[in-house]
Amino acid sequence: MFYRIAFVSVVLATLTSLKCFSQTDTKTRIWGEWKTWGDQGNGTYVNPVLPGDYSDIDCIRVGNDYYAVSSTFQYSPGFIILHSKDLVNWKILGHVVNDISTISPEMNWDRMNRYGRGVWAGAIRYHNNKFWVYFGDPDMGYFMSSASRAEGPWEPLHQVMAEKGWDDCCPFWDDDGQGYFIGTNFADGYKIHLFKMTADGKTLIRESDKVIYRSKGSEANKLYKINGTYYHFFSEVRDGGRAIMMERSQNIWGPYEGPRKLSHVQREFNEPNQGGIIQSAKGDWYFLTHHGSGGDWSGRIVSLLPVFWMEGWPIIGKPGPDKIGQMVWSGKNPANTGKILTPQTDDDFKSSMLSPQWEWNYQPRREKWSLTERLGWLRLHAFKPLENDNLLKAGNTLTQRSYRTVSNEAVIRLDISNMLDGQRAGLAHFSTPEYSAIGVTCKGNSKTLEVTFKSKITKGPLITGNNLWLKSIWGLDGRSQYFYSLDGKIYTPLGEPCELMWGDYRGDRLAIYNYNNNADKGSVDIDYVRYKYSK
């Protein structure tokens, strides 16, 4: 009898979901070999809905709008925000953290030693007519900010807890307005703690602390209240991988029933496991999730899975005879707006601000880049890296996500007339600890084209003109071929195909780099970036 009310209250949602499920594609697929993705233009969608690295995704609905956040680690600006009208078509809205050195000075351009740290998994919520975000840094603790509009401006970052060893947090406000906070202390055996918060959401009431769960690798926390029942969502390590789990209670402090496995591990599909459960404006339920196992060059990409309520539990994906969910590859679009959107990539640098897809590797040196010194161009002034000829230690490297689609082509046009001795500049596929790049090296008055991959350098021709076009093409296999052009029309390949890489919890990124091993001198101008990927 304890959960009969909750069960009855979701019967209609279950029937609606089953109707939606009848139109889903559950055929066996091979990971990474999709020919299409996202909105199909006919009222259906195909997973993934975002074939790029949007790790630790979380999502909410406010009216008819959906907002998602994703971890960004050491990249700046940090904690990316996306917007959608249907959970399938997404655009980049902006970021929460403009200066990630406020998390730690170690994330500034003059230190750059926090790869894989910074903005870890967090959550977005809407309460009291404001958006609230919370996230953690494994060394520095938990942080939060709020804003009246998701695109900002966001309030200055506030540190909620200054303590090492915590991750994967989420706020929750109950019907009476009381705020709560849940997070994992991975340094203490992955204990999941629940706290009350002060009314402003900026302080944890430490004496309220209660451990509500602990298991191997238990994290990815979310708290929900659905039809009067509290649901604690998390993932843990089971059966050789990450499984989606949940426990529930009639009291937020417990005791909690469960845990219940909501979806199988599915390593063959890179373990969909971390994300947000959400009810659409039409009343259907979904789970927006990343595919979370590491090692994939494309990073932790995003799928939208149906949710089916069974006995008061939200089963994720196709329920099997064991009432545990499996991967679903396609379904009916939750809203079918008729407008296909994809995340931004191109930039002609005519705006006074960088387009929102761009994120610097670490906090940039502000006086060393400009959109105004030469209108319509991005100017990058070169300065010495922390280690010579090491792109991982070179400040002001500008990046954006690359995508795993059938065909990808990225082109940048550079003016190299102001390059000076010791300077290197070009286009890269950026990862850690390995990366590849095509660019110009300036020695004395000579400028030479070269491709670098895993410490191997392939020399190209001397460049005597001022204009240079650099291009990379790749496909589903994650192998990039570099090209160059002196007129923007005829392109010549240089070097062997380079493997795109995973590292420090991130997939491959496109990057524009510029540094000088000898001195803080020289510059390059970038006219445009054009990155096209197939739908």
Side-chain angles (χ1 to χ4, degrees):
M1 292 294 293
F2 186 67
Y3 288 101
R4 181 171 294 173
I5 294 175
F7 173 66
V8 172
S9 64
V10 297
V11 166
L12 291 178
T14 305
L15 293 175
T16 303
S17 295
L18 289 173
K19 182 180 179 181
C20 176
F21 175 66
S22 67
Q23 302 180 50
T24 60
D25 174 10
T26 58
K27 293 182 293 186
T28 301
R29 302 288 183 91
I30 298 176
W31 177 258
E33 294 189 4
W34 44 81
K35 303 301 181 183
T36 186
W37 56 275
D39 194 328
Q40 299 300 290
N42 59 3
T44 68
Y45 71 92
V46 171
N47 280 320
V49 294
L50 282 174
D53 190 3
Y54 293 92
S55 59
D56 306 318
I57 199 88
D58 184 43
C59 183
I60 59 171
R61 177 174 62 86
V62 180
N64 292 318
D65 294 274
Y66 300 91
Y67 301 91
V69 292
S70 169
S71 55
T72 48
F73 299 89
Q74 83 279 357
Y75 292 97
S76 182
F79 214 27
I80 194 168
I81 302 175
L82 301 106
H83 172 256
S84 175
K85 284 287 189 179
D86 59 7
L87 289 168
V88 173
N89 294 279
W90 293 91
K91 298 291 283 188
I92 301 170
L93 199 59
H95 295 79
V96 174
V97 188
N98 289 324
D99 184 350
I100 61 167
S101 68
T102 59
I103 299 173
S104 168
E106 300 299 316
M107 302 188 73
N108 203 35
W109 63 269
D110 56 356
R111 301 195 187 183
M112 300 180 68
N113 61 357
R114 283 294 185 271
Y115 280 103
R117 296 317 207 223
V119 179
W120 275 24
I124 182 171
R125 292 295 182 265
Y126 190 73
H127 165 69
N128 199 22
N129 298 315
K130 291 175 66 175
F131 292 90
W132 304 74
V133 295
Y134 290 74
F135 66 87
D137 174 286
D139 299 315
M140 304 306 296
Y142 290 125
F143 297 83
M144 63 79 63
S145 182
S146 61
S148 59
R149 302 167 70 239
E151 54 267 44
W154 288 84
E155 293 182 359
L157 208 58
H158 176 79
Q159 192 167 31
V160 177
M161 175 196 287
E163 191 173 320
K164 187 175 181 178
W166 295 73
D167 70 357
D168 292 18
C169 62
C170 180
F172 170 78
W173 283 270
D174 212 337
D175 299 335
D176 61 0
Q178 175 61 56
Y180 297 85
F181 180 93
I182 192 169
T184 291
N185 187 350
F186 66 83
D188 186 24
Y190 286 89
K191 292 177 182 175
I192 297 176
H193 293 249
L194 178 65
F195 302 88
K196 278 187 175 183
M197 292 193 297
T198 54
D200 60 4
K202 293 184 176 181
T203 303
L204 305 185
I205 302 174
R206 298 303 291 262
E207 57 267 27
S208 68
D209 181 12
K210 182 178 181 180
V211 174
I212 64 170
Y213 192 79
R214 176 187 180 182
S215 67
K216 183 179 180 181
S218 52
E219 52 188 11
N221 301 289
K222 300 292 187 300
L223 273 177
Y224 305 98
K225 189 176 186 181
I226 304 171
N227 297 311
T229 298
Y230 298 91
Y231 290 88
H232 170 214
F233 172 97
F234 60 98
S235 73
E236 65 184 20
V237 177
R238 286 192 174 197
D239 306 321
R242 283 211 164 267
I244 301 171
M245 307 295 296
M246 181 170 275
E247 57 180 358
R248 65 186 183 185
S249 174
Q250 294 299 106
N251 187 302
I252 194 168
W253 298 108
Y256 279 86
E257 178 193 5
R260 171 75 178 265
K261 185 188 287 188
L262 304 184
S263 182
H264 287 290
V265 170
Q266 302 173 95
R267 288 190 65 83
E268 69 274 25
F269 303 135
N270 274 25
E271 299 177 12
N273 65 74
Q274 184 153 327
I277 294 174
I278 190 166
Q279 187 176 28
S280 74
K282 292 182 177 179
D284 302 321
W285 290 84
Y286 295 91
F287 180 57
L288 190 70
T289 179
H290 79 196
H291 293 257
S293 53
D296 191 323
W297 68 265
S298 54
R300 292 180 284 186
I301 68 176
V302 178
S303 285
L304 182 66
L305 304 181
V307 170
F308 306 101
W309 287 90
M310 303 182 70
E311 301 171 354
W313 296 98
I315 305 305
I316 293 172
K318 177 188 176 183
D322 56 3
K323 300 181 181 179
I324 301 175
Q326 296 278 6
M327 180 67 185
V328 170
W329 283 99
S330 68
K332 186 177 179 181
N333 191 305
N336 194 22
T337 64
K339 187 175 182 180
I340 296 178
L341 301 173
T342 56
Q344 304 93 309
T345 55
D346 294 353
D347 201 345
D348 60 9
F349 303 112
K350 289 181 169 57
S351 172
S352 60
M353 299 177 62
L354 287 170
S355 296
Q357 70 268 22
W358 293 112
E359 294 167 359
W360 302 92
N361 183 37
Y362 291 100
Q363 188 64 24
R365 189 174 176 182
R366 184 62 188 90
E367 73 275 12
K368 292 296 184 179
W369 69 274
S370 174
L371 289 167
T372 59
E373 290 181 18
R374 183 180 181 183
L375 293 179
W377 298 68
L378 168 65
R379 174 161 291 174
L380 297 177
H381 293 277
F383 57 95
K384 293 188 69 174
L386 301 181
E387 295 177 10
N388 278 2
D389 289 324
N390 184 355
L391 187 55
L392 302 182
K393 292 293 186 178
N396 286 25
T397 298
L398 187 61
T399 79
Q400 64 169 281
R401 291 157 183 78
S402 58
Y403 291 89
R404 188 176 195 145
T405 69
V406 170
S407 61
N408 299 262
E409 179 181 288
V411 178
I412 66 171
R413 181 193 175 193
L414 303 93
D415 181 342
I416 59 174
S417 58
N418 292 321
M419 290 186 70
L420 298 174
D421 181 48
Q423 192 174 348
R424 295 176 182 267
L427 174 68
H429 279 281
F430 186 84
S431 186
T432 55
E434 302 289 349
Y435 54 85
S436 66
I438 181 171
V440 177
T441 297
C442 186
K443 292 185 177 180
N445 294 319
S446 296
K447 299 169 186 175
T448 305
L449 200 63
E450 60 186 31
V451 166
T452 303
F453 180 53
K454 291 186 175 180
S455 301
K456 178 183 177 182
I457 297 176
T458 301
K459 292 288 186 180
L462 289 173
I463 306 297
T464 57
N466 293 332
N467 295 308
L468 179 65
W469 287 258
L470 302 176
K471 178 167 73 174
S472 170
I473 62 171
W474 68 97
L476 294 172
D477 61 355
R479 292 175 63 81
S480 161
Q481 177 64 61
Y482 287 117
F483 298 79
Y484 70 92
S485 175
L486 303 179
D487 60 6
K489 299 176 182 178
I490 300 173
Y491 284 85
T492 303
L494 182 62
E496 298 298 318
C498 302
E499 300 172 18
L500 307 186
M501 308 290 286
W502 156 277
D504 286 316
Y505 305 115
R506 297 317 313 241
D508 173 75
R509 286 184 170 226
L510 286 170
I512 303 170
Y513 67 93
N514 178 43
Y515 61 89
N516 191 319
N517 287 321
N518 298 338
D520 291 8
K521 63 181 184 178
S523 65
V524 293
D525 292 338
I526 298 93
D527 184 13
Y528 58 76
V529 175
R530 294 173 183 164
Y531 171 25
K532 307 297 183 185
Y533 50 91
S534 60
K535 193 69 172 70

